[in-house]
Amino acid sequence: MPRPIRDVVLVTNPTAGRGRALRVRDAALPVLEAAGWRVRRVEGRDPVDAEQRARAALADGADALLVCGGDGLVNLGFQIVAGTDVPLGVLPAGTGNDFARTIGVPRGDAAAAAAHLLEARHQRLDLARAGDRWFTTVLAAGFDAIVNERANKMTWPTGQMRYNIATVAELRVFEPLPYILTLDGVEHRLDAMLVAVGNGPSFGGGLRITEGARLDDGLLDVVVIRPMSKLQLVATYPKLFKGTHVTHPMYEHHRVRQVTVAAPGIVAYADGERFGALPLTVECVPAAAWVLA
C-alpha cells in the first residue's frame, strides 16, 4: 500500500497542448504546495530523458509521481510506476486527456485538478501490456491507427478538430483490412475497418470506441468494426462520442484476458503514442498500478 503523500515528483511535458502544460503546472503548484506537498519538478529534453530523470527522483524517496501533460505523458508515467507501490497522479494538459477523463480528473481547470489530487484516494487499476510496454486507454489497430498516424503529423488545427480532419482525409482512400485475431487462444480470420483493444473506454479526445471497458475488471475489451461503406462509417463516427455505435450491425465486442492482433502494414497506436507494428500480443494485468483518482 502506498504511503501518505508529502513528497512528489512532477514531470511536465513543456510541449503538451502547445505550451498549455507549463501554464497548468504553474497554476497547480501553489495549490499543492499550500497543502504541504513538497514538489520536485522534472522536465526532459525528450521522453527518454524525462523518464530517466523521473526514475532518479523517485529513487530518492518520493511518495508519488505526478504527470502534467497529455495521454502520452500518462503512458510514460505508467512505464515507471507499473508493478510498484508508487501512485500516479495526473494534471491533464494535453489534446485528448482520455485517461484523466476516465478517472474523473477535472480538465480545463488546473487549480481544480490539483485540488482533486489532494483529495484523491489511492486506487489500483489494471494496465494492458504488450511485451515490456504498458498502456492504459486504447490500442488502435486499423483505420483509427492510420488516422492517428496522420493526425500526429499535423501541426494544425489543435484539439479534436485535428482528429476529425485526419479522419476525413484517410476515409477517401481506406479499404477494409484482413485480420487474424487470437482471442484467449481462439483464432479468427476476418476483414474489418478497425480493431481496437481497450483497457479503458476512449481515445482521441473522448471517442468511446471500447464503450463499457473498465479499468478494474481484469479484462480487455476488443472491438471489431466489420466492413461498411464509407458513407456508413461517416454516419457512425459522431456516435463514438456517446458510445451509441454499439448498436450498429457491423460492431462486435469481445472481452478477453489476452489478444493477438495481426494485419498487414499497420502500426498500432496506444494512449495516442506510436506503439509498434502488428502483430502484437496484448494481455490485461489486473491491479498493475496505483493511481490517485
Side-chain angles (χ1 to χ4, degrees), residues 8-263:
V8 301
V9 174
L10 172 57
V11 182
T12 303
N13 176 2
T15 65
R18 292 181 171 269
R20 187 186 311 124
L22 293 177
R23 297 191 296 274
V24 169
R25 181 197 67 185
D26 291 344
L29 276 171
V31 178
L32 300 176
E33 291 173 339
W37 284 16
R38 176 194 177 198
V39 182
R40 299 188 235 172
R41 308 180 201 180
V42 171
E43 292 180 26
R45 296 182 300 273
D46 53 45
V48 172
D49 184 49
E51 181 175 349
Q52 291 173 344
R53 289 171 183 265
R55 287 185 184 276
L58 286 173
D60 194 32
D63 303 317
L65 176 65
L66 310 183
V67 292
C68 182
D71 288 316
L73 195 62
V74 171
N75 181 277
L76 183 147
F78 278 120
Q79 310 310 311
I80 298 171
V81 304
T84 76
D85 283 338
V86 177
L88 184 75
V90 181
L91 293 168
T95 301
N97 299 318
D98 283 282
F99 181 72
R101 187 190 310 268
T102 300
I103 65 172
V105 178
R107 293 167 286 118
D109 185 332
H116 179 90
L117 288 177
L118 294 173
E119 298 296 327
R121 296 182 296 113
H122 292 78
Q123 297 185 34
R124 273 198 181 276
L125 297 183
D126 306 338
L127 293 177
R129 181 170 61 193
D132 61 355
R133 294 189 65 188
W134 305 87
F135 71 89
T136 187
T137 58
V138 176
L139 179 93
F143 178 71
D144 43 1
I146 295 171
V147 168
N148 255 305
E149 188 91 320
R150 177 181 284 266
N152 284 351
K153 294 175 182 176
M154 295 167 60
T155 58
W156 181 91
T158 59
Q160 183 59 45
M161 187 56 65
R162 178 186 298 177
Y163 293 96
N164 295 346
I165 291 175
T167 297
V168 172
E170 290 296 340
L171 191 62
R172 294 177 298 142
V173 296
F174 183 77
E175 297 294 336
L177 296 164
Y179 285 91
I180 302 175
L181 295 183
T182 307
L183 304 170
D184 282 342
V186 180
E187 184 178 289
H188 304 260
R189 293 176 179 264
L190 53 94
D191 290 341
M193 308 299 280
L194 65 84
V195 171
V197 180
N199 184 54
S202 73
F203 71 142
L207 295 170
R208 301 183 66 84
I209 183 66
T210 46
E211 176 68 19
R214 293 175 52 88
L215 295 173
D216 60 358
D217 62 358
L219 296 171
L220 300 170
D221 288 61
V222 180
V223 165
V224 177
I225 303 297
R226 293 277 192 166
M228 63 174 68
S229 72
K230 293 176 181 179
L231 186 60
Q232 284 180 308
L233 193 59
V234 169
T236 302
Y237 179 75
K239 297 180 180 181
L240 294 175
F241 289 101
K242 294 184 178 180
T244 54
H245 62 294
V246 300
T247 60
H248 196 284
M250 295 295 101
Y251 165 91
E252 290 183 15
H253 186 184
H254 308 269
R255 285 194 170 98
V256 299
R257 290 179 173 81
Q258 184 183 85
V259 57
T260 299
V261 186

